[in-house]
Amino acid sequence: MKGFKCILGIVCLLVCTMAQAAKTAPADSLEANEYDGITISLLTCGPGEEVYTLYGHTAIRICDTTRHADIVVNYGMFSFRQNFFVARFILGLTDYMIGITSFSNFVDEYTYEGRWVYEQVLNLRQEEKKAIIAAIDENSKPENATYRYNCFYNNCTTRARDILTENISGKVGYAPETWDAPSFRDMCHSKTADHRWSSFGNDLVLGVKADLKTDRSEQQFLPENLMRDFSEATITDSNGETRKMVREERYIISRDMAAGIRPQTADGFQAITPRMCACLIAIIIIGVTIYEARRRKTFWILDAATLVATGLAGVVLFLMIFSQHPTVSLNFQILILNPISLIALYPMIKLERKGKIHWWHKGQTACLALGIAAGLVQHYAEGVLILALSLLIRNTVILMRNKKQ
């Protein structure tokens, strides 16, 4: 950590030196000397093995051949050691910060992790380079270095995009869209297709708003989407002249090289899918229900277990209502994974053991039916509908049996 702070201090000094030169040197000497040797690039990085690296990463490279400085600026720095990190992340209160390191260290890190890196050198004028470097200098100050993270609207990629596009003097134009607008959930699935449990976690907390169509700006929260858009983008200056936004592009670490470096780790947990677990639970629930009907017995332990499990999951979904993440507040899965089950647990089981019905038997049955119907407008986590259907069958059988008695 001390070594990182040392590097951060050195490269921050370099950035500040560049920015200070922009402020003090005459305009004609700036154009002729100060920025000729500076190139600014967008770096796009491929996914890694950790959950938080599945979506890739974006950074900005500033290379100054005159001062022999080559640094990378990124907005994806965070620490798991933050107090109450998980709770803060759920509630949308996670703070990220700007990080600056040398380009060589950056490449070494991504080579070690087996992740590809693609560079797009931007076609910038002298005054645009000056403005971007000055903006990064302002961002790197201690009072500005930290920002409130949001995975869709304010992350490492959107921050890098904004610091670049907002300091370009011309108007940035993107190529016309030729595909159907995906939802946030669709884009998440495109990155977690091989990680079923990660998809399950995302789909569990994402609400119905994540199924709405997105515009181009929203789609650029994904690093590869921004890379694609920059590749085809143009800049129109005030005099009407148009230039390509990217001057040249190349792989720093190729996809084939990254695939060859990345260790292939076998994860037995991935072989067990959420749907398998849901089907197993459904078989147990329906099997016990049939056995009860034949033997005229009540296995209240099963109901107690399902009430605890669904109630605890419901507490998480209930907390998401108060989250600052805009796509999680309205989640119909809370009708199935309902926190009320924890409140009704003791009186419901107490009456069930006496062969009586608690009001939550009927209430939960209604909620389950509504939750299943709401699955028509919201994409649920894998296996949740299977679980809901099995619980609905069990509750219906219990109510019918009690009515006959």
Side-chain angles (χ1 to χ4, degrees):
M1 189 65 179
K2 292 182 178 178
F4 171 75
K5 290 182 178 179
C6 180
I7 294 174
L8 180 61
I10 294 172
V11 292
C12 279
L13 180 62
L14 289 174
V15 174
C16 292
T17 302
M18 296 178 189
Q20 189 61 33
K23 297 174 183 176
T24 57
D28 56 347
S29 66
L30 284 178
E31 186 173 348
N33 300 315
E34 293 293 339
Y35 290 97
D36 283 344
I38 295 178
T39 58
I40 298 177
S41 308
L42 183 78
L43 298 179
T44 304
C45 310
E49 292 297 321
E50 300 294 336
V51 173
Y52 57 87
T53 65
L54 293 178
Y55 300 91
H57 184 52
T58 299
I60 300 171
R61 179 186 181 186
I62 303 176
C63 181
D64 186 352
T65 56
T66 303
R67 298 180 179 83
H68 306 288
D70 198 354
I71 63 174
V72 174
V73 181
N74 80 80
Y75 291 87
M77 302 298 296
F78 70 95
S79 174
F80 287 117
R81 296 180 180 179
Q82 295 179 25
N83 293 332
F84 309 107
F85 179 85
V86 175
R88 290 175 61 87
F89 186 84
I90 290 175
L91 294 175
L93 302 175
T94 309
D95 290 329
Y96 274 42
M97 65 180 296
I98 186 174
I100 306 177
T101 187
S102 68
F103 178 69
S104 60
N105 284 349
F106 183 86
V107 173
D108 287 345
E109 177 184 351
Y110 280 83
T111 300
Y112 176 77
E113 294 180 2
R115 300 171 63 182
W116 55 265
V117 177
Y118 193 73
E119 179 180 26
Q120 295 171 295
V121 181
L122 303 182
N123 186 19
L124 302 174
R125 304 201 185 283
Q126 305 295 335
E127 64 272 13
E128 292 169 338
K129 296 177 184 179
K130 170 184 174 182
I132 290 171
I133 292 173
I136 291 175
D137 172 51
E138 184 68 21
N139 265 188
S140 64
K141 293 179 179 179
E143 63 270 23
N144 301 327
T146 302
Y147 70 95
R148 183 54 49 84
Y149 173 84
N150 182 282
C151 55
F152 293 144
Y153 294 99
N154 198 19
N155 65 6
C156 62
T157 301
T158 61
R159 282 260 163 173
R161 175 200 64 192
D162 293 345
I163 205 76
L164 294 172
T165 58
E166 290 177 2
N167 290 285
I168 290 177
S169 54
K171 181 181 179 180
V172 178
Y174 298 109
E177 296 186 28
T178 57
W179 58 90
D180 292 334
S183 66
F184 281 122
R185 197 186 305 274
D186 292 334
M187 290 184 282
C188 288
H189 285 174
S190 71
K191 297 302 178 182
T192 60
D194 296 329
H195 298 76
R196 299 276 284 273
W197 286 100
S198 295
S199 288
F200 174 83
N202 287 341
D203 289 336
L204 190 64
V205 298
L206 290 176
V208 68
K209 293 180 182 178
D211 293 307
L212 302 177
K213 293 184 179 296
T214 56
D215 58 30
R216 183 188 292 273
S217 177
E218 292 171 328
Q219 293 161 21
Q220 289 175 349
F221 88 95
L222 278 182
E224 288 189 69
N225 286 355
L226 182 65
M227 178 185 78
R228 179 200 64 214
D229 287 346
F230 267 33
S231 182
E232 301 174 350
T234 57
I235 301 174
T236 303
D237 296 323
S238 56
N239 58 6
E241 293 184 4
T242 300
R243 53 192 156 107
K244 288 186 67 64
M245 187 169 185
V246 174
R247 191 179 70 196
E248 58 182 285
E249 45 193 327
R250 65 188 179 99
Y251 278 103
I252 303 296
I253 304 172
S254 70
R255 293 175 185 261
D256 291 340
M257 181 186 298
I261 295 172
R262 183 182 301 178
Q264 300 298 320
T265 56
D267 189 355
F269 185 61
Q270 291 292 340
I272 304 174
T273 67
R275 182 171 286 108
M276 290 179 184
C277 293
C279 288
L280 178 60
I281 294 171
I283 290 171
I284 293 173
I285 291 174
I286 295 175
V288 169
T289 303
I290 294 173
Y291 184 82
E292 282 181 341
R294 290 182 176 181
R295 295 291 182 175
R296 296 184 180 180
K297 293 182 179 180
T298 301
F299 288 89
W300 60 267
I301 294 179
L302 175 63
D303 292 321
T306 57
L307 287 171
V308 170
T310 57
L312 290 175
V315 170
V316 176
L317 299 185
F318 177 74
L319 291 176
M320 302 305 287
I321 296 174
F322 307 98
S323 175
Q324 293 189 15
H325 292 301
T327 56
V328 301
S329 57
L330 181 59
N331 191 337
F332 294 134
Q333 291 174 106
I334 200 171
L335 294 168
I336 299 167
L337 307 172
N338 204 312
I340 297 176
S341 294
L342 289 179
I343 301 173
L345 173 62
Y346 177 75
M348 185 174 177
I349 297 302
K350 183 179 179 180
L351 289 176
E352 188 173 313
R353 295 181 66 181
K354 297 178 181 179
K356 298 180 180 180
I357 292 297
H358 187 265
W359 64 267
W360 183 236
H361 277 104
K362 297 179 180 179
Q364 186 185 35
T365 303
C367 287
L368 288 169
L370 289 173
I372 292 172
L376 296 173
V377 295
Q378 178 182 329
H379 183 99
Y380 286 174
E382 182 180 347
V384 168
L385 284 175
I386 297 173
L387 174 65
L389 186 59
S390 64
L391 290 174
L392 180 62
I393 292 172
R394 177 166 178 79
N395 277 19
T396 303
V397 170
I398 290 174
L399 290 173
M400 291 176 62
R401 187 176 61 199
N402 181 265
K403 186 177 180 180
K404 288 180 180 180
Q405 292 175 353

